[in-house]
Amino acid sequence: MGTILNQPVDNLSVVKGLNPASLWHHFANLASIPRPSGAEAKVLDYIEGVSLKNKGVCRRDLVGNLLVSIPGLAGRSGEKTLSPLVFQGHVDMVCEQNSHGKHDFHRDPIRLTKRPEQPGWIFGSGTTLGADNGIGVAAMLAMMEEAKGFSRGTEFLFTVDEETGLTGAQGLGPDLLTGDTLLNLDTEEEGALYVGCAGGLDLDAHWRCSRMLSQDPKFETFRLEVSGLKGGHSGIDIDKQRGNAVKLLAYVLDNLLALATEQMLQVISLNGGKARNAIPREAVALVAVYSEAQKHLIALTKELEDKLKEIYKEADPQLKISLSPHPDPTDWPPMDPRVAKKWIKAILGFPSQPYRFELGIAGLVRTSSNLGVIETEKNQITIRSKLRSSSDLELEVLKKELTTVLELADGQVKVGGGYCGWQPDLQSSLLRTAQAVHAEVFGHKAEVKAIHAGLECGLIGSRYPKMKMISFGPNIVNAHSPDEAVEVASVERFWTYLKALVQMLQEQTRILSD
């Protein structure tokens, strides 16, 4: 039986009285268990505990994915029955928090909260909420409690390390699942049935950076900071014209270096972003500023802030850029200015935006890139990005273009983490059934969509090519940021629809076929 860590706050009290009670109960418990990517052992123990209470048989594969199987009543009586119905979601979460936050995602629970100014939504307290994909996992656990009464068998696949590279789905063996109909519960828009997703790859670059022997005592260390941005998911939100903190900081630095001189301003470090698949909300550069140039550079920074705030007044109205004394000492002297200028120029030339849109599908991004992270070590600068596309050829073209930009600036490029997309099948019998159930429950059909993000369905489909799949979920906004929230009422409707669809699928008397 899995255990829940001691809770400094009572998450269960936040969800008390919400429907469905079992789903919210599990969601509150999941929030109380730290589950960053790559550290999912405790949450998997909790899931195993729930499964054992419900006569589930647990199996883990080599990469750590957990499969819980519950036989159906018909199968237990010896009757011929349908193959198991598969439910799937990932157990890890993106770990983001507000600047100066002290949350340790490996140790501290997420604190659920409500905001009076936004009634009807559940948030984290200065951190990501983990509704992506905690709500889906909670729904699977609630469904597991009912599955032992189904005539059709069920399989519950809990994958690991989705957020940092789809590692669980990448390592999924071809013999783990026996079902041929899969419900993925990892999308974030009520009333939409997703039948396709983009593929992607990771593109990183680093620069070796030499440094001066020491910092001139006439220079003082200052903190140049970009903050207040919304950030968001690098696939779902890439077309919303939000600011990228890393690119904006590089823009400000480039302007200051052009307006000043290296005798007035020198770069020590630049760090920003937490994940390659999140639009960075904050970035900080430590710079050495000549004493007599401080007022001048602070004024120039304010002028640049005013100009950028005008550009982003609609998409990111809380944008803030500041240059202020840095109270803590730094052991690193400034970088060689020639090296610093090269990688600053590379960041400026690296697009973090949609590259192409789908023809014939209004508003759907087909290909994009996101510069998500920059990290400084004493002798190296590293950037990490995520490229996405539903076109393998276009993804290859974009990779070559960006590699060229980085290599021209003397960057050492590394490409990896590739995963395939999920091609829509609009004639699927599962889609027809899902639409019929949606019309019966809500009086109208759902929207049929593809998503410009990496769903595990693409990789699962590559391992199980005959698997029929569909993905849906409740309303979740600002995923991958501390403003992540889930709408309470939509969770109840999502659950109502999920139960109705499962009821239809598990009562069918023949295996669905196309």
Side-chain angles (χ1 to χ4, degrees):
M1 172 65 182
T3 59
I4 302 172
L5 300 185
N6 293 329
Q7 302 180 37
V9 292
D10 185 3
N11 281 334
L12 291 173
S13 68
V14 179
V15 302
K16 185 177 181 180
L18 302 184
N19 290 314
S22 178
L23 187 158
W24 285 111
H25 175 87
H26 286 301
F27 181 68
N29 285 343
L30 290 170
S32 300
I33 305 173
R35 57 185 203 279
S37 301
E40 300 100 333
K42 290 184 176 65
V43 71
L44 291 173
D45 286 346
Y46 172 74
I47 292 169
E48 282 198 350
V50 176
S51 72
L52 293 175
K53 282 186 174 181
N54 292 281
K55 301 182 180 179
V57 177
C58 297
R59 178 184 174 191
R60 297 198 194 188
D61 66 11
L62 293 177
V63 295
N65 299 313
L66 171 63
L67 181 71
V68 177
S69 302
I70 299 178
L73 294 175
R76 292 175 217 163
S77 64
E79 298 176 20
K80 184 178 180 181
T81 186
L82 298 173
S83 64
L85 178 61
V86 184
F87 301 82
Q88 188 267 323
H90 65 86
V91 298
D92 61 320
M93 62 174 283
V94 167
C95 300
E96 280 270 7
Q97 61 184 304
N98 289 325
S99 61
H100 313 302
K102 303 298 184 181
H103 192 94
D104 182 345
F105 285 95
H106 286 267
R107 183 179 59 85
D108 301 332
I110 301 299
R111 300 168 178 240
L112 303 185
T113 188
K114 299 176 182 178
R115 296 180 182 176
E117 70 277 13
Q118 293 175 282
W121 294 78
I122 300 291
F123 297 82
S125 298
T127 69
T128 37
L129 172 64
D132 170 18
N133 185 220
I135 286 291
V137 171
M140 291 168 65
L141 293 171
M143 187 62 66
M144 193 184 295
E145 295 172 345
E146 303 191 8
K148 57 183 178 291
F150 292 169
S151 60
R152 183 176 185 175
T154 50
E155 294 180 329
F156 298 85
L157 176 61
F158 301 91
T159 49
V160 297
D161 197 20
E162 189 267 356
E163 297 291 3
T164 59
L166 296 158
T167 305
Q170 290 268 21
L172 186 67
D175 58 351
L176 186 65
L177 300 173
T178 61
D180 65 357
T181 301
L182 182 143
L183 305 180
N184 170 278
L185 306 181
D186 187 25
T187 48
E188 301 160 4
E189 181 183 3
E190 181 189 359
L193 300 174
Y194 282 85
V195 296
C197 71
L201 57 82
D202 302 339
L203 189 149
D204 298 347
H206 72 267
W207 290 261
R208 302 298 297 176
C209 63
S210 55
R211 294 183 179 272
M212 299 178 181
L213 295 177
S214 62
Q215 182 171 310
D216 190 319
K218 295 181 180 179
F219 284 73
E220 297 180 29
T221 302
F222 271 62
R223 177 185 179 93
L224 179 62
E225 182 173 11
V226 174
S227 60
L229 299 174
K230 293 179 181 177
H233 190 289
S234 70
I236 297 169
D237 299 316
I238 198 67
D239 62 338
K240 294 181 172 58
Q241 302 185 54
R242 295 175 182 173
N244 179 305
V246 173
K247 286 184 63 67
L248 288 177
L249 187 56
Y251 175 82
V252 173
L253 268 176
D254 186 65
N255 275 271
L256 292 180
L257 289 169
L259 294 170
T261 66
E262 63 187 63
Q263 284 73 42
M264 298 169 63
L265 177 70
Q266 298 162 352
V267 181
I268 300 172
S269 65
L270 196 156
N271 292 280
K274 298 293 178 62
R276 67 174 76 249
N277 60 352
I279 301 169
R281 302 175 300 106
E282 299 164 344
V284 175
L286 294 185
V287 294
V289 181
Y290 185 60
S291 301
E292 296 180 7
Q294 292 173 7
K295 290 184 179 179
H296 175 57
L297 290 176
I298 290 172
L300 288 177
T301 301
K302 183 64 172 66
E303 290 178 13
L304 290 167
E305 180 192 40
D306 291 341
K307 291 177 181 178
L308 291 171
K309 284 175 74 72
E310 178 64 23
I311 294 173
Y312 289 97
K313 62 183 179 182
E314 295 176 344
D316 260 314
Q318 302 304 314
L319 168 64
K320 183 178 179 181
I321 303 171
S322 61
L323 179 65
S324 59
H326 184 65
D328 300 323
T330 175
D331 295 331
W332 298 344
M335 298 178 191
D336 181 331
R338 294 169 297 177
V339 175
K341 287 179 180 178
K342 281 187 177 180
W343 58 258
I344 289 171
K345 294 292 187 184
I347 293 172
L348 288 175
F350 192 104
S352 194
Q353 62 196 36
Y355 180 79
R356 287 187 186 276
F357 286 81
E358 287 284 359
L359 299 176
I361 306 179
L364 177 61
V365 178
R366 183 166 72 193
T367 305
S368 73
S369 57
N370 177 68
L371 199 168
V373 177
I374 186 166
E375 300 169 332
T376 301
E377 299 174 78
K378 184 176 182 180
N379 299 312
Q380 182 170 290
I381 299 288
T382 302
I383 63 171
R384 308 188 191 282
S385 71
K386 172 69 73 177
L387 314 186
R388 303 178 188 271
S389 183
S390 56
S391 164
D392 291 342
L393 176 59
E394 214 161 89
L395 193 63
E396 178 67 20
V397 171
L398 180 60
K399 180 190 76 173
K400 286 184 177 294
E401 289 186 6
L402 298 184
T403 297
T404 299
V405 170
L406 296 169
E407 289 180 343
L408 284 172
D410 293 336
Q412 302 297 308
V413 178
K414 179 182 178 181
V415 178
Y419 56 89
C420 54
W422 172 27
Q423 294 301 312
D425 179 6
L426 299 180
Q427 305 306 315
S428 164
S429 58
L430 175 59
L431 177 58
R432 291 196 299 271
T433 299
Q435 281 286 38
V437 172
H438 196 280
E440 181 179 344
V441 172
F442 298 113
H444 60 87
K445 288 186 175 181
E447 292 186 74
V448 178
K449 293 188 172 185
I451 190 171
H452 186 64
L455 287 175
E456 291 166 296
C457 295
L459 287 163
I460 294 171
S462 70
R463 306 295 192 275
Y464 298 86
K466 295 183 179 180
M467 184 78 75
K468 294 172 286 294
M469 298 179 289
I470 202 163
S471 180
F472 56 95
N475 288 330
I476 298 171
V477 297
N478 300 317
H480 297 191
S481 86
D483 287 323
E484 180 186 4
V486 61
E487 185 183 24
V488 172
S490 77
V491 171
E492 185 170 3
R493 293 188 292 267
F494 156 70
W495 176 251
T496 298
Y497 174 66
L498 175 61
K499 286 192 66 175
L501 178 58
V502 169
Q503 182 71 18
M504 174 67 76
L505 292 173
Q506 64 100 10
E507 285 183 350
Q508 291 176 342
T509 57
R510 60 181 179 84
I511 298 177
L512 295 172
S513 60
D514 296 318

